[in-house]
Amino acid sequence: MDRVVLPKHKVTQEEIELKRENYLSRNQIRLYLNVPDERGTNPIFNILVEFLYLTGLRAGEAQGLAWSAINFETRMLTVKQTVQRGNKKSDYQITTPKTIHSYRKVYFNSRVVELLDELKRLTTVVSDKDLVFTDGCGDFFVLNTLNSYIQRYFNNQEIKKLDSFKLTSHVFRHSHVSLLAELVFHIREIME
């Protein structure tokens, strides 16, 4: 085994640029959010997309977020569980976060309060799992369905991203970091 040499993948210039551009700026987010709000057919996903951007949560953390983990008085939510996905929605299960550092408290602004209030008004079926974001029937939403929905309303040329750029739910996490950096948060605060 000491003499085995694994071939190295040569990174292309396009891969480097795509990695550097794996986020949306504040202006790009504004442009994007207008489209699903105007033409989108899933108001829960519309709220979820902006929520992911404003909180920096992973999609799995949003899937596992319980109403009991949100304190509206202190404007703080506790990330203490995530959803581990399986092949079918019936295989989904709530687990502990990805890493020890993923267990955290996230402060949120008044816009997030507005989004959650709107979500409460839209949700007619209450989740027996106490889930905040559901499929509308009180169960887990499917991540692939969310990512397809997000991509459906994204136009690379209008937002001025590379043609190879693909918008997924995880891009909103990177965009949140960009937002905090733009707001001049210290890198240590952003990491926490």
Side-chain angles (χ1 to χ4, degrees):
M1 290 302 292
D2 290 338
R3 288 178 269 153
V4 172
V5 177
L6 295 174
K8 292 192 178 194
H9 170 71
K10 292 193 179 209
V11 181
T12 65
Q13 184 65 32
E14 185 177 341
E15 288 173 320
I16 293 169
E17 287 176 21
L18 191 58
K19 190 78 168 166
R20 276 193 194 135
E21 290 291 315
N22 200 19
Y23 71 94
L24 298 176
S25 69
R26 281 168 84 175
N27 289 334
Q28 290 170 328
I29 285 284
R30 280 190 199 111
L31 284 172
Y32 173 75
L33 290 178
N34 286 335
V35 177
D37 280 347
E38 292 171 5
R39 299 191 317 236
T41 56
N42 189 328
I44 292 174
F45 280 174
N46 294 349
I47 290 170
L48 176 56
V49 165
E50 190 172 354
F51 178 86
L52 291 173
Y53 169 65
L54 293 173
T55 61
L57 264 64
R58 295 177 179 91
E61 293 169 343
Q63 281 180 307
L65 184 63
W67 285 108
S68 57
I70 301 172
N71 186 328
F72 286 94
E73 288 178 19
T74 61
R75 289 190 183 176
M76 184 170 46
L77 62 86
T78 305
V79 178
K80 55 185 171 184
Q81 58 190 32
T82 189
V83 169
Q84 182 178 1
R85 294 176 287 277
N87 294 332
K88 300 178 290 200
K89 194 174 3 175
S90 59
D91 295 336
Y92 283 24
Q93 58 182 322
I94 294 175
T95 64
T96 57
K98 186 176 176 181
T99 68
I100 191 74
H101 299 294
S102 296
Y103 182 91
R104 64 197 184 281
K105 295 188 182 301
V106 176
Y107 293 95
F108 54 86
N109 63 15
S110 58
R111 178 62 184 148
V112 172
V113 173
E114 291 171 12
L115 291 170
L116 293 173
D117 285 343
E118 179 65 19
L119 185 64
K120 282 181 184 177
R121 282 192 289 282
L122 288 172
T123 307
T124 54
V125 178
V126 178
S127 168
D128 62 342
K129 299 173 186 77
D130 191 36
L131 299 174
V132 174
F133 294 100
T134 68
D135 61 358
C137 299
D139 205 358
F140 300 112
F141 67 85
V142 178
L143 183 59
N144 288 343
T145 305
L146 171 64
N147 282 324
S148 295
Y149 182 83
I150 289 168
Q151 191 63 41
R152 184 178 322 138
Y153 298 106
F154 183 71
N155 181 333
N156 289 20
Q157 284 73 40
E158 186 179 311
I159 306 290
K160 295 183 177 40
K161 294 303 263 184
L162 298 172
D163 286 340
S164 55
F165 177 83
K166 184 172 171 136
L167 184 63
T168 66
S169 57
H170 200 72
V171 169
F172 296 109
R173 183 168 167 79
H174 294 277
S175 301
H176 178 72
V177 171
S178 171
L179 171 67
L180 294 178
E182 232 178 286
L183 295 173
V184 197
F185 278 81
H186 189 275
I187 191 71
R188 177 60 64 195
E189 292 174 302
I190 293 172
M191 288 168 55
E192 288 174 6

